[in-house]
Amino acid sequence: MSKLSINDKIKLNSGYEIPQLGFGVYQTPANEVDTIVQEAFKVGYRHVDSASAYRNEAGCGAAILRPTIPRSQIFFTSKVGPKHISYNAAKRIIAESLAKTGLEYIDLMLLHAPYGGSVNRKGAWLALVEAVEEGKIRSIGVSNYGAHHLDELEQHIKELEEERGGPGKGGVISVGQWEVHPWCPRKDIVEWCRKRNVVVEAYAPIVRGERFGEPGLKRLAEKYGKTEAQVLVRWSLQKGYLPLPKSVRAERIKENADVYDFELSEGEVKGLETEEYSPVCWDPTTSELDNYSGQEEV
């Protein structure tokens, strides 16, 4: 029997803990997200992953603030959108996210993509750091950064420490979020994160269903009496990642969390992973350092 459980948490570099299984709300309609997140809470999820660009933060906040579960037991993530990667824009987005959700603090805020150019990325990161210092955000990180963007961020943190008065003043990277699954393992990024104790969150952990039917995956599902989606979520958990499965259907929400009554062998975990680089979502990780893609506001 597995040693993992739906209540498992991972300690972040910030000192806070994050539930290992998350619930994604990308493309979840704003007028439905409150009910859908409540459904996720019913089956045990305590970690909700949203973003300013999803335009459904208000419904997430409504579900979180209902009296059924104490706020302290729920972990909420949002993100500064790809078009707002700059100091001033990020400050505004953070304020808007707090206002829309009605929350006193956001557990985790990420920069959604490595756009805006180097100066603006540094400025957006500084906005996150200041929000942590002001108690508005507890932990910070990035999403869709390539290894070269991560190296640059590390340099920005060093520069901010020098500019702002010492260690810790440049912020602490707690989480990175990417599309990660057996057909897009991102070994270079995962290695970078693990050397620094940065937690890896995996969106699209079930590959949007596009790999269902793959012989190795199908064989494991049949062996354990599970769906292929459940095998993929379990693979992500056993790799030490934080998978973020998403669904708007109650039965699928429950199914994606029902992954704690079986365990893949070490060989099966390794065997499922491929050498492919086949993302099924957008992939800003490959963008150049001077990429200003989609920038709307500075």
Side-chain angles (χ1 to χ4, degrees):
M1 185 63 65
S2 163
K3 296 177 183 178
L4 295 174
S5 84
I6 198 168
N7 299 314
D8 286 344
K9 295 181 180 181
I10 294 176
K11 186 79 169 285
L12 299 175
N13 284 334
S14 63
Y16 291 98
E17 291 184 327
I18 184 171
Q20 190 177 4
L21 181 65
F23 182 69
V25 295
Y26 172 60
Q27 292 187 330
T28 302
N31 63 342
E32 299 176 21
V33 71
D34 181 351
T35 301
I36 289 167
V37 170
Q38 288 183 68
E39 193 66 37
F41 289 161
K42 287 179 186 177
V43 298
Y45 292 91
R46 293 294 182 269
H47 171 186
V48 180
D49 182 85
S50 185
S52 62
Y54 299 173
R55 300 184 179 184
N56 57 19
E57 292 171 294
C60 292
I64 291 167
L65 290 174
R66 291 182 184 278
T68 47
I69 303 170
R71 168 68 181 98
S72 60
Q73 294 181 17
I74 298 171
F75 193 100
F76 178 69
T77 300
S78 192
K79 309 176 191 77
V80 175
K83 297 178 180 180
H84 304 107
I85 304 298
S86 70
Y87 178 78
N88 289 330
K91 296 279 276 190
R92 179 177 63 80
I93 293 298
I94 292 165
E96 288 181 358
S97 292
L98 286 164
K100 289 174 183 176
T101 59
L103 302 176
E104 292 183 359
Y105 64 88
I106 293 171
D107 294 276
L108 175 66
M109 199 80 177
L110 307 176
L111 300 181
H112 208 152
Y115 296 158
S118 182
V119 171
N120 283 327
R121 280 193 295 274
K122 181 178 177 181
W125 180 259
L126 174 58
L128 295 188
V129 173
E130 289 180 349
V132 170
E133 293 170 347
E134 294 162 1
K136 297 175 181 178
I137 297 171
R138 290 189 165 181
S139 304
I140 56 179
V142 295
S143 181
N144 298 302
Y145 272 45
H148 54 307
H149 303 115
L150 293 169
D151 288 339
E152 178 197 64
L153 175 56
E154 202 163 50
Q155 181 58 39
H156 285 163
I157 290 172
K158 291 177 182 177
E159 292 172 4
L160 288 170
E161 286 180 337
E162 293 174 1
E163 294 164 9
R164 305 182 74 235
K169 292 293 186 178
V172 176
I173 311 171
S174 286
V175 173
Q177 185 180 123
W178 294 271
E179 176 186 346
V180 179
H181 48 70
W183 298 275
C184 189
R186 302 196 187 278
K187 293 179 181 178
D188 59 333
I189 290 172
V190 170
E191 181 182 3
W192 193 99
C193 290
R194 289 198 161 147
K195 284 181 178 177
R196 297 159 177 83
N197 198 40
V198 173
V199 168
V200 174
E201 291 186 331
Y203 69 79
I206 62 175
V207 208
R208 294 182 170 175
E210 293 185 17
R211 292 291 187 151
F212 291 173
E214 292 272 348
L217 178 59
K218 187 177 180 181
R219 184 168 57 251
L220 290 174
E222 291 171 350
K223 174 181 176 179
Y224 291 106
K226 290 291 182 177
T227 66
E228 290 170 83
Q230 288 172 321
V231 170
L232 288 170
V233 172
R234 181 72 200 193
W235 178 88
S236 192
L237 290 168
Q238 288 188 219
K239 289 286 287 185
Y241 305 147
L242 275 71
L244 302 168
K246 59 175 288 291
S247 180
V248 297
R249 295 170 54 187
E251 65 272 21
R252 289 286 173 81
I253 292 170
K254 183 177 180 180
E255 176 187 295
N256 289 338
D258 185 18
V259 295
Y260 296 97
D261 58 352
F262 75 107
E263 184 171 10
L264 303 174
S265 71
E266 186 176 335
E268 288 167 343
V269 172
K270 289 181 179 178
L272 201 53
E273 186 169 323
T274 73
E275 295 297 322
E276 287 189 36
Y277 186 84
S278 302
V280 295
C281 307
W282 68 327
D283 191 19
T285 65
T286 60
S287 64
E288 300 295 332
L289 288 175
D290 62 353
N291 189 326
Y292 292 85
S293 177
Q295 194 74 0
E296 280 189 357
E297 180 183 347
V298 296

